[in-house]
């Protein structure tokens, strides 16, 4: 897996958005996300928050800043929806969704 600190600005300009979004959601990277409207900033921040939770970070210790209350409410709604889906999912569906989020098979502690 490629990590955010391994990519140059020139590589970033020629890289697919989904890859850049995954890099920005990597909890091991320090990131600043800025993009135009409808560029998936809320998805990136939501994915990053969920990955930080899965890495064992307590929710109150995670700082996530948005520019509008609407974005903050949307992010909270998406996080709640995803957590509820995980709670109700069977093992196969949970593993598939975590694999997609983490870009790797989930560890036993993440299930």
């Amino acid at each position: 897996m490629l990590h955010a600190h391994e990519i140059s600005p020139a590589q970033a300009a020629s890289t697919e958005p989904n890859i850049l979004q995954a890099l920005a959601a990597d909890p091991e990277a320090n990131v600043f996300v800025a993009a135009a409207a409808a560029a998936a900033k809320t998805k990136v921040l939501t994915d990053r928050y969920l990955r930080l939770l899965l890495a064992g970070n307590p929710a109150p210790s995670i700082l996530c800043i948005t520019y509008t209350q609407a974005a903050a409410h949307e992010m909270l709604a998406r996080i709640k929806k995803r957590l509820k889906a995980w709670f109700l999912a069977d093992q196969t569906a949970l593993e598939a969704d975590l694999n997609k989020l983490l870009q790797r098979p989930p560890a036993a502690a993440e299930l």
Side-chain angles (χ1 to χ4, degrees), residues 22-108:
L23 290 172
D26 181 353
E28 293 184 24
N30 291 318
V31 299
F32 176 83
V33 178
K41 294 179 298 296
T42 303
K43 180 191 181 324
V44 168
L45 292 173
T46 300
D47 286 356
R48 183 175 177 82
Y49 187 91
L50 291 166
R51 288 181 67 175
L52 286 164
L53 287 177
L54 289 168
N57 295 286
S61 73
I62 301 171
L63 174 65
C64 192
I65 300 171
T66 65
Y67 291 102
T68 67
Q69 279 193 341
H73 289 296
E74 177 63 24
M75 194 171 86
L76 180 60
R78 290 182 191 189
I79 290 167
K80 286 180 177 180
K81 182 179 179 181
R82 193 91 171 260
L83 292 174
K84 181 180 178 182
W86 288 349
F87 181 76
L88 298 173
D90 62 30
Q91 185 79 14
T92 304
L94 176 61
E95 286 181 17
D97 195 47
L98 289 175
N99 188 37
K100 184 177 175 184
L101 174 67
L102 299 169
Q103 309 259 317
R104 60 168 173 75

Side-chain angles (χ1 to χ4, degrees), residues 4-15 20:
H5 65 275
E6 299 170 340
I7 192 165
S8 72
Q11 288 172 311
S14 65
T15 304
L20 295 176

